[in-house]
Amino acid sequence: DAKTTQPPSMDCAEGRAANLPCNHSTISGNEYVYWYRQIHSQGPQYIIHGLKNNETNEMASLIITEDRKSSTLILPHATLRDTAVYYCIVRASSNNNAGNMLTFGGGTRLMVKP
Amino acid sequence: NAGVTQTPKFRILKIGQSMTLQCTQDMNHNYMYWYRQDPGMGLKLIYYSVGAGITDKGEVPNGYNVSRSTTEDFPLRLELAAPSQTSVYFCASSYPGGGNQPQHFGDGTRLSIL
């Protein structure tokens, strides 16, 4: 799986949009971009994933550049409960390959401030 | 739905003791996984299963055993606990589809070996 690079920490004001960047310059054509977050003392929580197109769900939006070498996770209206470590992961789409594990790097520690 | 449930949440073991970490999911997912997370580090895959009766080793299987007798349950057994196994253990599950299916995690079991 391709490696990812994320800033170690970011701050965001409550109610504002949080934009978390991720570089994955060695991504392959069959690799998805996944975002998870881990709130203190809890298990990783799935947020969103995409291959080429931008994606949106009830939690966030994922913007993937046209060359797929970077992406941005957008939390449109950050709340204090969004304070967590956010992980950007790329993962091959090999169907039914359950051994294709998620590789969590250092992530970005997002602090949402009042 | 409860999702992925892990028990116990915390446990302290003495060196050489054995124990079983329990994991159950109610999402009818075929795939299940066990990860460990050491302090300040990412997750490492211990074992995974693609269905009842089928298990396979992940990245760090030594010192652990698993079984999968039902779709819902995927227990992880430590036979001879060692201090190096002090960690937080996460169970996850997903639908088949490899990289295009997100994994959903439990809240973890925090294990200390003294």
Side-chain angles (χ1 to χ4, degrees), chain B residues 7-112:
Chain B
T7 57
K9 294 189 184 302
F10 305 92
R11 184 74 184 267
I12 298 174
L13 285 181
K14 293 183 179 179
I15 295 172
Q17 287 186 319
S18 62
M19 77 162 293
T20 299
L21 283 67
Q22 302 291 345
C23 175
T24 187
Q25 52 91 11
D26 62 0
M27 296 174 282
N28 203 30
H29 286 165
N30 293 80
Y31 291 4
M32 295 188 74
Y33 312 80
W34 274 105
Y35 291 86
R36 60 177 285 175
Q37 185 176 33
D38 297 333
M41 306 292 286
L43 277 68
K44 293 186 177 180
L45 183 65
I46 305 171
Y47 270 95
Y48 66 95
S49 168
V50 299
I54 306 170
T55 63
D56 209 343
K57 296 178 180 179
E59 185 182 12
V60 289
N62 291 343
Y64 307 94
N65 281 300
V66 293
S67 59
R68 185 95 181 271
S69 57
T70 67
T71 298
E72 295 78 19
D73 301 308
F74 190 39
L76 176 73
R77 182 148 181 92
L78 283 70
E79 292 293 350
L80 290 171
S84 61
Q85 294 177 305
T86 293
S87 190
V88 182
Y89 292 84
F90 291 104
C91 178
S93 69
S94 75
Y95 287 115
N100 192 23
Q101 289 295 335
Q103 295 179 19
H104 299 273
F105 288 80
D107 280 337
T109 294
R110 282 148 188 81
L111 182 63
S112 294

Side-chain angles (χ1 to χ4, degrees), chain A residues 27-40:
Chain A
I27 193 170
S28 300
N30 68 343
E31 288 182 316
Y32 285 81
V33 179
Y34 274 82
W35 283 85
Y36 281 79
R37 72 181 182 184
Q38 193 167 20
I39 298 170
H40 182 62

Side-chain angles (χ1 to χ4, degrees), chain A residues 2-5 22-28 67-70 90:
Chain A
K3 291 185 177 179
T4 62
T5 304
C22 180
N23 286 321
H24 30 80
S25 59
T26 60
I27 193 170
S28 300
D67 63 7
R68 302 187 69 239
K69 293 185 176 182
S70 66
V90 292

